[in-house]
Structures are given as structure tokens and as C-alpha cells.
Amino acid sequence: MNTKKNTAGLRGVSAGETSISTVGKESLGLSYRGYDIAELAERSTFEEVTWLLFEGRLPNAAELAAFKSELYALRELPSALRQALELIPAGTHPMDVLRTGCSMLGTLEPEQDFTAQRQVANRLIAAFPSMLLYWHHFVTDGRRIGTQSGAGSTAAHFLHLLRGDAPSELHERAMDVSLILYAEHEFNASTFAARVCAATLSDMYSAVGAAIGTLRGPLHGGANEAAMALIERFESPEAATQAVEAMLARKEKIMGFGHAVYRESDPRNAVIKAWSKKLSASYGDDLLFRVSEAIAEQMWRAKRLFPNLDFFSASAYHFIGIPTPLFTPIFVCSRIAGWAAHIMEQRADNRLIRPAADYTGPEPRAHVAIGDRQ
Ligand code: COA
């Protein structure tokens, strides 16, 4: 057995303990603090799930109401942050805007010590949609929007800031479910990056900044935008099937398929696929849904590869009216819950993360004076 190949990218290697979630574990599947993801997506809200990730148990009604009011009160941005956002060029990818916004907020409201970690986490949850959409409107239509929408939930708040009015119940709930599905995923690349940074006893803003930079790549969070770019190219499911067949023959990767841990299916896919279908009906044109289904069928037929959460999220977001460049930033607005929970867990029982490496360089050799070198 080639152990080196099998453990490349640390696949299958346990890099620590967590009580926050399980990914693909026997009899647990994907669960947050022991609750199955499908049940949370059906019966909970994003705020409830965030509280669960932080506290280890579901909140009661009073605790949830208090948590929601706390987030509600943290949505306004300091004027220096608004000014900084206005200086970011219009062509910037919104993930870079959030990375910069996170860093700037860290200079204005630094985490003085770890006793303030929950306040910093809450501040980032409340402020990310505000930062993103303040900048989005400023560069697209020159407007300086207010960032207190008055909406009770993060999902409705996001859509309200984006569109300027309250979303329908259908859109709010679809967005809320998507935030639940994206909130946490054990030791994925961005969460691990956050933990590595947190383990040096750095501050929460730095750890979250590291996570945003890691999530940005197309092999991680960026896959939902790449999936959208693919599905919108086709005029029919048949054309999509043929094109994907040709792409696979050229050994191209199809973004939104496959997973580093799951082998048979991504448990989040069934949930988001059902929402995409429901949203396509209200959108009045289900072409993108049918194209997505055709691609998924072809990927399974040809490669036994299944859609991950990112694939049907693309069409779902499109049906809600969200511009494609905002897809990965929404992942940030949700995964901040998981990142913060992991940063706090790391700090609670910390040891610097410093793995070893297998050396593949030259044998020891003598230094040669510059004049004697070839
Ligand atoms: N499209 C086409 N082929 C794919 C593929 C995809 N999306 N995902 C994996 N494969 C193929 C690889 O080319 C490789 O084939 P080979 O053995 O012939 O070289 C094989 O399946 C194993 O893939 P590999 O990339 O080594 O697996 P991994 O565990 O390292 O990768 C991902 C996991 C997620 C990085 C990978 O599936 C991928 O790049 N997917 C697309 C990006 C994506 O959707 N990311 C979001 C993840 S939630």
C-alpha cells in the first residue's frame, strides 16, 4: 500500500479532537453536537444552530430571543470601516472585501483578551452581511446603504440589504436553510486554518482572516461560483450532458462534485437539491435545475461522483436572485459560526499545532565559496 499517496493532503489523518460536529462518521453522518443535519435543516434556524455550535445544546426560547437581539444590535458598521470599504476597487472579488473588512474591524474593535471572544464572534456574525452589502451597493450603484434592515433573522437581513425590501417567506427560509447547511463541517481546510492560527494564541480576527483566505479557493468555498458558471452555459439538459462527458474525457474537474471525506453522497445535497427544485418552481423557469440534474446524473454514470453542497446551492441562490460573486461570501456569513466555535474549542485546550514533514531534499553537502561554483 502506498501510504504516502493515501495520506497526502492529510486525508484520513486525525489532527485533533472536536465535540462540535461529525462528518461522515459511522451512525452519526453529518451532525452538529449530535443533531443530524437533515433534522436541523428541517426544524431549526441559523441563529439556533449557531447558539448550539457555541454552547453545545439547543437554546430555550428566552436564550434564543436574547441571542437574536444581541446580533440585531451589532449590525451597524463603524464609520472608519465604511470608509475603508469605499476605498476597495469595484473589480475586487467580494471574498477579498470580507477578508479586508474582517481585518479592519480587528483594528477598530480589537479582541483585548479571550474573555471577549464570544462578543467578537457575535460581532463578526452580525457585521459580515453588512460589510459585504454596504460595499456591493457602493460599487454597483454608488449608494451608501444603512446596514440595519430591521429584519429579525440573519437570512432575512442579508436578503433585505441586498434587495432593499423584505424577502418572501420562501426566500427567507431557503436562505436560512442554506446558512444552516454551510455553518459547520469539522476539520475542513478553512476551519483547520483558523485552528492553526488560533493555536498560536493569536486573536480571533486573525484566525477568521486566515479562514476566509482559505475558503476563497475553488477547491473549497469557491466551488459554488464555479458550478454556477458551468450550469448557466447550457440551453438544455442534453447539451449539458454532452459537454460534461467531453470535459471528463479531457480530464477536467467539474466543480461542485466529489468530496475529501464523503464517498457515496454529501448528506447536505438532498436538502439543498429539494430547495433548489422548490425555488425553481416559484422562479417560473426550471431550466437551471434540469441542467443541474442532468450534470449530476452524468457525473454519477461516468465517474461515480456525487454533487456536494456547492452544486445545487448555485441554482438555489440564483433562483433567490443572488448575484454569483456573492455566493462564496454567503458561505463566510454562515461558516463564521463554525470557525468561531472551533477557535473557542482550540483555545479551551490549546497546544501549538506544529506537524512534522517527511524530508525529500538533498543529503548533507559541503558549502562551496561563490567563486568556486559552476
Ligand atoms: N470532477 C472530476 N473529477 C473529479 C472531481 C470532480 N469534481 N473530484 C474528484 N475527481 C477525480 C480526480 O480527478 C481523481 O481522479 P484520478 O484518481 O483519476 O486522478 C479522483 O476523482 C480523486 O480526486 P481527488 O481530487 O484526489 O480527491 P480529493 O479527496 O483530494 O478531492 C475535492 C476532494 C473536493 C478537492 C475534489 O473532489 C474536487 O476538486 N472537487 C471539485 C471542487 C469542489 O466541488 N469543492 C468543494 C468541496 S465541498
Side-chain angles (χ1 to χ4, degrees), residues 267-278:
R268 302 166 297 179
N269 175 58
V271 180
I272 198 66
K273 184 178 172 187
W275 272 99
S276 173
K277 188 169 188 187
K278 205 187 235 186

Side-chain angles (χ1 to χ4, degrees), residues 11 218-220 223 248 251-260 263 266 268 299 303 305 308 310:
R11 252 357 138 265
L219 293 188
H220 193 3
L248 290 177
K251 301 234 169 279
E252 283 177 41
K253 265 199 173 171
I254 312 294
M255 294 302 166
F257 285 86
H259 198 269
R263 287 290 148 246
D266 178 337
R268 302 166 297 179
M299 288 297 284
K303 297 271 289 184
L305 280 168
N308 55 52
D310 289 321

Side-chain angles (χ1 to χ4, degrees), residues 105-145:
L105 193 60
T107 68
L108 299 168
E109 301 172 7
E111 186 184 29
Q112 301 294 2
D113 61 63
F114 295 171
T115 57
Q117 60 182 0
R118 272 294 292 273
Q119 285 95 302
V120 175
N122 292 348
R123 177 66 163 141
L124 286 170
I125 294 168
F128 276 144
S130 303
M131 284 179 207
L132 178 67
L133 294 162
Y134 183 86
W135 175 83
H136 172 74
H137 286 293
F138 186 77
V139 297
T140 51
D141 49 33
R143 278 189 304 130
R144 294 185 166 92
I145 62 161

Side-chain angles (χ1 to χ4, degrees), residues 185-195 210-211 214-215 220 335 339:
H185 219 216
E186 199 218 43
F187 277 26
N188 60 88
S190 56
T191 301
F192 193 59
R195 287 190 78 128
T214 309
L215 185 68
H220 193 3
R335 186 59 61 85
W339 291 335

